[in-house]
Each structure stands twice: as C-alpha cells, then as structure tokens.
C-alpha cells in the first residue's frame, strides 16, 4: 500500500469530530507539517461522506457539505439561505459566499421538504443540520440530515447521518441511516451501523415523504435499542460468565483439586 | 438518570488505578510537534479498533522506527497455533515469540521448531506448568470453552508473565462475538511477600447483520492496571495470587465493558436522536419541575 493510500485510510476512518486530532497525529508520525495538499482528496471524501457542517461567514445557521450540493471547484450551495460558498476541506472553513438561486422543476417540493425536514429535525434531534437538493438532472431529490454531538472532555463523540433519494416521478424513496459512536476513555470502543431504507411508494407530497422518513428512523432507533439488549444478553453473556456456575469465585489454593466436568457442573460447550 | 454533567465512567465503582504506560496517556499539545510514538498511539486510540492490526502495519510503513515500540505496546487479537506434541491449541503473542516461532505452553517446544529458542528456567517453567493447569480450570469455569495460555519468564528480582484467554461465539447466523484477554504482570519477590503489577487489556468485538437491523459493529478494547502486595509462602502462592488478581480484574472489566458497550453507546445514540418528540419531552420536564417546586412550598 502506498503512502497516500495509508494516509487517506486514516483520514477516512477518523471518528466524529476528531479529524483535527487525526491530522495532528499524521503530521507527527511523518515528521512533516505540510500534508494538507497531499491529503486534499481524502479530506474532500471525508467531508462529503460525513456531511460535514460549517457556519457561513455572517450567518448563524450551519449548512452541510455533501456530494449532492457540490457545484464543483470546492463550492457548495444551500437552499434555505439561497447561497453558495467555497469550502476549504482541510480546515473546514467556508468563505466567498454568493447568492444562489435554485433552478429546479421541483422547486416548490424542495422548499416544502426543507420546511418539513426542519420541523421533523427540531422534534427529534437536539442539534442537527439538514438539506434537500435536486440531483441527477433534476429527476431526483437528495434529502440529508446529520446530527453530531461531541463531548471530548468525557472522551466520547457521536454522529447520526441519514440520507434519502426521492424520485418524484415514481414516488420511490431509498436511503441509508448510519450511526457512528466513539468512546475512548482508557480504551477505544466504536459503534458503527448501517441500515438501508427502501419505500416503494412514499406518496408525492412533502408531508407524505417526511412521514415515511420519520417512521423509518423511529423504527430503526427502536430496533437499534433492542439490538443492544440482545447482544448483551446473547453474545456477550456467552463469551464470559460473570461468575462460575457455582456462583462463587475460585478457591485458588485448591485449584488442583477442581476436576473439570465433574465438580463444576458446567459441561464443555463444544 | 443521573446528573448529565459528569458522564465519565469513573463513577461506576471501580477502585482501580488507571496508569497504563503511554498508550492512553492524554497527549498535551504545546504547539510543538509531539513525540511520534505518542502520536501513533493517539492515532490508534482514535481509528476503528477493529482495524488495529492493519493500522499498525500502515504506521510502520510510514515510520519504520516506530515498529518495535508499537509491537510492544499495542494489543491485537491473539492468534492460535496447534502444539504438535500435545495436539492442543495455544495462543500466540509477542511474549512467547522467538523470530517466526511460538513456544507452546503445553510442551515448552517452539512451533515451528527452532534451535535454542529461549525457554524459562526450571523453577519458572514449573510455575508456568502449574499456572497453565490452573488457568485451564479458570477458562472452563468462566468461559465454558475457548483457549487459555500462560507464559512466564525470568526477571532479575523475580519473574514476569502473561495470561491469555480467547473465545469466539456465533449465537445465531446473524450475530457473532469474540473476547481476547491479555493480562501482563510482573512479580517482585520481597521477604514473605511479593509486589505484583498487572496490566490488563480486553478486546471485545460484537456484531450483527440482518435484513431488519442492517449492519451493526460494536468493537473495541479497554485497558486497566492494578498493583498489589500479597503474601507468598512458596511458588504455589504465586500462581494463586496471580489467579486472584486476574479473576478480580476480569470481573471488574466485564462490568466496565457492559457499561460502556451497552449503556454508554446506547446513551450517546439517544443523545443524538430522541425517539419521543422533543417538544413532548420538554413539556414533561417543565411539568415535573412545576410539581417539584409546588411540593416544596
């Protein structure tokens, strides 16, 4: 594997909110300070895949960066503020804001979706950023939400991403939900999930589409909560007992007297 | 739910000192570039723990001078070899390795065989045999399967060793899990007592994949360290003392893993997204506050 592939794999697997630390470590390992231009494609991939958010100069709301709102040459646009901006992938800064008028046959639907998406988000995400963008020659709409919560002083960071592609002509809705949680106090624990969503006829109005999205996300979160329970009760318990079947700790002074399979009741599970 | 301002896990009742060497020390950046080995360990603490072996290889390719330090201080899932003399499986790590061969705890022979591989002194090998018998019982009692291996080696003022345990399960076609324990210790002989220092790592990996839930991977490792003085009558006491320390440590770490994997991870998901509408939750909280304040009147 080449140097650039190795470095890019580090950038692309950076946990939520830890890209700066990952970059710092890379520089120190290499003993070089100027790696940004070499890593530019990896940063761009990371930012677009992870829906990185940024505050526009002079604005208060955050906007997101994705493959769906890219205008090329490092510029992206936002529907709600009707503006476009240059995004510096290495530093995560936005600049050169210009007004941007959306041109789409689905303009009304996009605007209603932006509105209902924001209502939905305010009910279920304490802090999130969302966007709706026409793609594929205006034949489909990308509906994107990202919610981050960073708590580095408590050694954890988390990110929820959902993105859907809605085809107005057929009413098809497909998408993916990803959860990424990193916990790193005296260790390194990572939760990574991916759930594909597919609804064959999601209706045509913004309200109907949002209802499908809301149902899919609620169901997924409930299923995820159940999965924690079943992993804890299933695989985790089967790996190691809390105490031996006798419910007593081992008498180590008498360990040579233990006869496997007789005194201890619990037969071999092979 | 408790106070949300302090959600570090130091409050789960673990009376353990946390002073593992450099691996998890918090790197303080002072504008100057940090020591590359500290940065490499910091990077490994951040990247997906499931890819630790691949990431170590990449770091070594980028900076070959880090190889020795990384192999010494980074724990990766244990590999398994078969002892050709006893036909029993044993676990491999840096401590029973000599070049490209690994010493079997059951036969004391290297696999594949090598000329003059390093083996413990007779006294320490005798303890090693006893410790392997004891931890084989421990493994059966707690893991009900899996593989265990204990390796000891001589030190100037005593001896040191490691206790390794590994188990994998497939409760259903959709889920899988694996547990690797790596307990590294040293024992310094004193008059009628010994001072033990134990550093324990558990690598726990869990995953499910189904149409309804999609893919879920919950993997990682946790490290803890403890020091203790214990009475020693003869070499048999050492095996019992190490047994007790490892047993206590694994009990604590199992509780900690339970808390982090199924408590903390789930809580963070709940912090990102709320199933009940937030307006409802906020109304409920306001009502609760009003009730509490009216009760106080």
């Amino acid at each position: 594997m080449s140097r650039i592939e190795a470095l890019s794999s580090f950038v692309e697997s950076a946990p939520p909110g830890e890209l700066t630390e990952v970059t710092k470590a890379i520089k120190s390992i290499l003993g070089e300070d100027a790696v940004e231009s070499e890593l530019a494609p990896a940063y761009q991939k990371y930012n677009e895949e992870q829906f990185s958010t940024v505050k526009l100069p002079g604005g208060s709301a955050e906007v997101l960066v994705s493959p769906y709102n890219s205008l090329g040459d490092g510029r992206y646009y936002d529907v709600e503020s009707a503006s476009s901006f240059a995004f510096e992938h290495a530093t995560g800064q936005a600049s050169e804001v210009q007004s941007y008028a959306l041109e789409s046959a689905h303009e009304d639907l996009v605007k209603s979706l932006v509105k209902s998406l924001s209502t939905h988000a305010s009910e279920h995400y304490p802090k999130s950023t969302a966007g709706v963008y026409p793609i594929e020659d205006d034949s489909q709409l990308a509906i994107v939400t990202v919610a981050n919560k960073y708590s580095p002083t408590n050694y954890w960071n988390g990110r929820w991403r959902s993105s859907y592609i809605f085809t107005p002509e057929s009413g098809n809705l497909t998408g993916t939900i990803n959860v990424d949680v990193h916990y790193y106090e005296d260790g390194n624990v990572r939760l990574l999930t991916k759930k594909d969503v597919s609804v064959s006829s999601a209706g045509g109005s913004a309200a109907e589409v949002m209802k499908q999205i809301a149902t899919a996300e609620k169901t997924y979160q409930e299923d995820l909560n159940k999965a924690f329970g079943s992993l804890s009760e299933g695989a985790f318990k089967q790996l190691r007992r809390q105490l031996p079947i006798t419910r007593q700790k081992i008498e180590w002074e008498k360990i040579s007297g233990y006869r496997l399979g007789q005194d201890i009741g619990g037969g071999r599970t092979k | 739910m408790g106070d949300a301002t302090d959600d570090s896990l130091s409050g789960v009742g673990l009376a353990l000192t946390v002073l593992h060497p450099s691996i998890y020390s918090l790197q303080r950046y002072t504008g100057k570039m940090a020591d590359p080995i500290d940065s490499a360990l910091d990077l490994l603490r951040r990247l997906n723990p499931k890819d630790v072996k691949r990431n170590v290889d990449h770091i070594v390719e980028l900076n070959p001078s880090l190889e020795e330090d990384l192999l010494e201080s980074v724990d990766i899932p244990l590999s398994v070899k078969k002892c050709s003399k006893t036909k029993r499986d044993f676990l491999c790590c840096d401590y029973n390795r000599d070049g490209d061969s690994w010493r079997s705890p059951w036969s004391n022979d290297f696999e594949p065989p090598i000329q003059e591989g390093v083996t413990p002194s007779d006294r320490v090998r005798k303890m090693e045999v006893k410790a392997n018998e004891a931890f084989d019982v421990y493994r059966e009692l707690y893991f009900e399967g899996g593989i265990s291996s204990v390796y000891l080696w001589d030190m100037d003022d005593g001896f040191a060793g490691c206790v390794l345990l590994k188990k994998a399960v497939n409760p259903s076609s959709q889920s899988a899990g694996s547990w690797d324990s790596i307990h590294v210790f040293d024992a310094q002989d004193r008059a009628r007592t010994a001072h033990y220092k134990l550093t324990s790592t558990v690598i726990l990996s869990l995953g499910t994949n189904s149409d309804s839930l999609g893919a879920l991977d919950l993997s990682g490792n946790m490290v803890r360290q403890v020091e203790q003085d214990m009475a020693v009558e003869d070499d048999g006491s050492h095996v019992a003392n190490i047994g007790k320390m490892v047993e206590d440590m694994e009990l604590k770490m199992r509780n900690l893993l339970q808390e982090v994997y199924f408590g903390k991870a789930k809580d963070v998901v709940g912090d990102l997204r709320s199933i009940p509408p937030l307006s409802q939750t906020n109304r409920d909280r306001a009502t609760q506050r009003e009730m509490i304040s009216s009760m106080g009147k």
Side-chain angles (χ1 to χ4, degrees):
Chain A
M1 172 168 280
S2 73
R3 161 185 160 120
I4 185 67
E5 282 171 307
L7 294 178
S8 303
S9 79
F10 295 160
V11 168
E12 282 156 28
S13 57
E18 298 176 43
L19 189 58
T20 311
E21 284 73 19
V22 166
T23 301
K24 239 180 227 171
I26 289 175
K27 289 179 181 176
S28 161
I29 290 165
L30 294 173
E32 296 169 30
D33 218 2
V35 293
E36 269 87 359
S37 61
E38 191 181 355
L39 289 178
Y43 285 129
Q44 176 171 346
K45 189 167 178 229
Y46 177 89
N47 287 320
E48 290 190 353
E49 275 181 3
Q50 298 293 324
F51 307 142
S52 290
T53 56
V54 62
K55 247 182 210 148
L56 298 184
S60 57
E62 286 193 328
V63 299
L64 63 79
V65 166
S66 79
Y68 311 119
N69 62 333
S70 168
L71 297 169
D73 292 330
R75 291 193 68 84
Y76 298 83
Y77 72 91
D78 174 52
V79 173
E80 215 170 0
S81 62
S83 52
S84 73
F85 55 94
F87 185 75
E88 181 58 55
H89 285 284
T91 59
Q93 301 292 315
S95 61
E96 297 169 45
V97 180
Q98 295 168 2
S99 69
Y100 179 85
L102 180 71
E103 279 178 37
S104 165
H106 307 291
E107 195 185 330
D108 290 343
L109 181 58
V110 168
K111 290 196 168 149
S112 336
L113 275 169
V114 166
K115 217 173 151 191
S116 45
L117 190 60
S118 134
T119 311
H120 169 74
S122 65
E123 279 292 31
H124 294 283
Y125 298 93
K127 186 181 174 295
S128 67
T129 310
V132 181
Y133 317 100
I135 55 167
E136 300 294 323
D137 286 332
D138 210 21
S139 64
Q140 297 182 316
L141 303 179
I143 305 166
V144 183
T145 305
V146 60
N148 296 309
K149 190 157 181 198
Y150 306 147
S151 190
T153 50
N154 293 308
Y155 302 99
W156 64 260
N157 294 305
R159 172 172 298 153
W160 174 297
R161 279 177 292 156
S162 36
S163 66
Y164 308 90
I165 306 294
F166 176 62
T167 312
E169 202 183 337
S170 64
N172 262 8
L173 180 74
T174 58
T176 311
I177 303 172
N178 293 94
V179 177
D180 186 344
V181 174
H182 185 217
Y183 180 85
Y184 52 110
E185 185 175 30
D186 301 307
N188 178 3
V189 177
R190 189 86 173 260
L191 168 72
L192 285 165
T193 78
K194 178 174 186 280
K195 163 73 180 169
D196 291 324
V197 174
S198 177
V199 181
S200 55
S201 109
S205 72
E208 285 168 315
V209 173
M210 268 323 297
K211 200 178 161 202
Q212 296 292 345
I213 289 176
T215 307
E217 294 188 352
K218 179 172 190 271
T219 307
Y220 180 60
Q221 196 174 359
E222 286 167 350
D223 287 349
L224 191 55
N225 283 345
K226 275 184 226 147
F228 283 115
S230 54
L231 279 175
S232 169
E233 290 302 306
F236 183 62
K237 268 199 177 162
Q238 287 182 28
L239 283 170
R240 189 189 183 282
R241 303 180 62 93
Q242 193 169 22
L243 278 173
I245 206 158
T246 55
R247 308 207 56 77
Q248 280 166 355
K249 285 197 184 173
I250 292 173
E251 290 185 69
W252 287 91
E253 286 77 10
K254 298 180 189 163
I255 191 91
S256 58
Y258 282 68
R259 279 170 298 166
L260 291 180
Q262 292 179 28
D263 296 353
I264 55 181
R268 280 171 188 263
T269 51
K270 287 221 170 126
Chain B
M1 294 294 287
D3 186 356
T5 53
D6 174 27
D7 49 3
S8 100
L9 278 166
S10 42
V12 283
L14 302 189
L16 286 173
T17 49
V18 179
L19 34 102
H20 196 257
S22 47
I23 302 191
Y24 298 110
S25 69
L26 185 60
Q27 187 62 55
R28 307 233 181 257
Y29 294 97
T30 53
K32 255 176 35 184
M33 220 175 247
D35 190 349
I37 183 65
D38 290 336
S39 300
L41 294 169
D42 183 70
L43 184 65
L44 291 169
R45 180 177 76 140
R46 297 184 186 280
L47 301 182
N48 191 350
K50 205 151 189 166
D51 302 329
V52 60
K53 188 163 183 335
R54 198 189 71 197
N55 290 332
V56 167
D57 291 345
H58 286 174
I59 294 172
V60 169
E61 276 170 44
L62 295 167
N63 186 342
S65 73
L66 300 176
E67 180 166 13
E68 204 176 316
D69 284 344
L70 279 181
L71 291 183
E72 261 175 33
S73 39
V74 178
D75 291 314
I76 57 171
L78 301 160
S79 56
V80 181
K81 275 196 169 305
K82 195 175 256 328
C83 172
S84 43
K85 199 179 268 177
T86 62
K87 309 291 175 217
R88 292 184 71 176
D89 286 339
F90 67 95
L91 297 170
C92 305
C93 69
D94 217 32
Y95 298 109
N96 64 327
R97 183 176 68 91
D98 195 332
D100 293 321
S101 287
W102 282 266
R103 186 168 63 90
S104 159
W106 316 121
S107 65
N108 206 21
D109 293 340
F110 279 86
E111 304 280 345
I114 45 167
Q115 297 291 314
E116 295 174 2
V118 180
T119 55
S121 66
D122 286 349
R123 177 206 158 205
V124 167
R125 172 61 188 161
K126 266 186 200 137
M127 271 196 286
E128 188 182 75
V129 169
K130 280 211 159 56
N132 273 290
E133 286 167 5
F135 276 99
D136 199 35
V137 174
Y138 175 88
R139 176 197 55 71
E140 191 59 42
L141 288 171
Y142 279 99
F143 291 84
E144 299 176 332
I147 305 169
S148 63
S149 296
V150 182
Y151 302 103
L152 303 184
W153 56 93
D154 294 85
M155 302 278 281
D156 288 344
D157 54 352
F159 68 99
C162 65
V163 176
L164 311 175
L165 294 144
K166 185 183 184 77
K167 190 183 173 190
V169 292
N170 283 87
S172 68
S173 58
Q174 284 117 23
S175 66
S178 65
W179 173 300
D180 291 74
S181 303
I182 301 160
H183 303 277
V184 182
F185 62 87
D186 61 60
Q188 291 167 21
D189 285 323
R190 291 173 186 172
R192 286 187 291 280
T193 65
H195 180 74
Y196 299 93
K197 192 166 143 185
L198 172 69
T199 303
S200 301
T201 302
V202 175
I203 304 170
L204 174 64
S205 194
L206 300 167
T208 66
N209 204 330
S210 64
D211 285 346
S212 57
L213 182 72
L216 181 158
D217 186 76
L218 185 50
S219 296
N221 58 72
M222 309 225 56
V223 183
R224 284 295 183 274
Q225 189 167 87
V226 70
E227 291 188 45
Q228 211 172 330
D229 289 305
M230 292 166 97
V232 174
E233 278 175 33
D234 53 30
D235 283 349
S237 313
H238 279 306
V239 175
N241 288 346
I242 292 155
K244 279 177 205 161
M245 282 183 80
V246 166
E247 185 179 24
D248 286 347
M249 181 65 109
E250 280 204 346
L251 177 63
K252 283 167 184 160
M253 290 190 79
R254 189 185 182 281
N255 290 340
L256 180 70
L257 289 162
Q258 171 115 34
E259 186 71 27
V260 169
Y261 277 60
F262 310 114
K264 191 72 213 169
K266 188 178 164 188
D267 288 350
V268 174
V269 178
D271 281 348
L272 292 169
R273 189 182 187 282
S274 164
I275 295 178
L278 290 166
S279 56
Q280 176 74 41
T281 315
N282 293 340
R283 262 201 310 278
D284 290 350
R285 286 210 187 114
T287 315
Q288 208 178 0
R289 268 198 302 274
E290 270 171 40
M291 272 174 62
I292 290 169
S293 72
S294 67
M295 275 166 17
K297 278 172 193 164

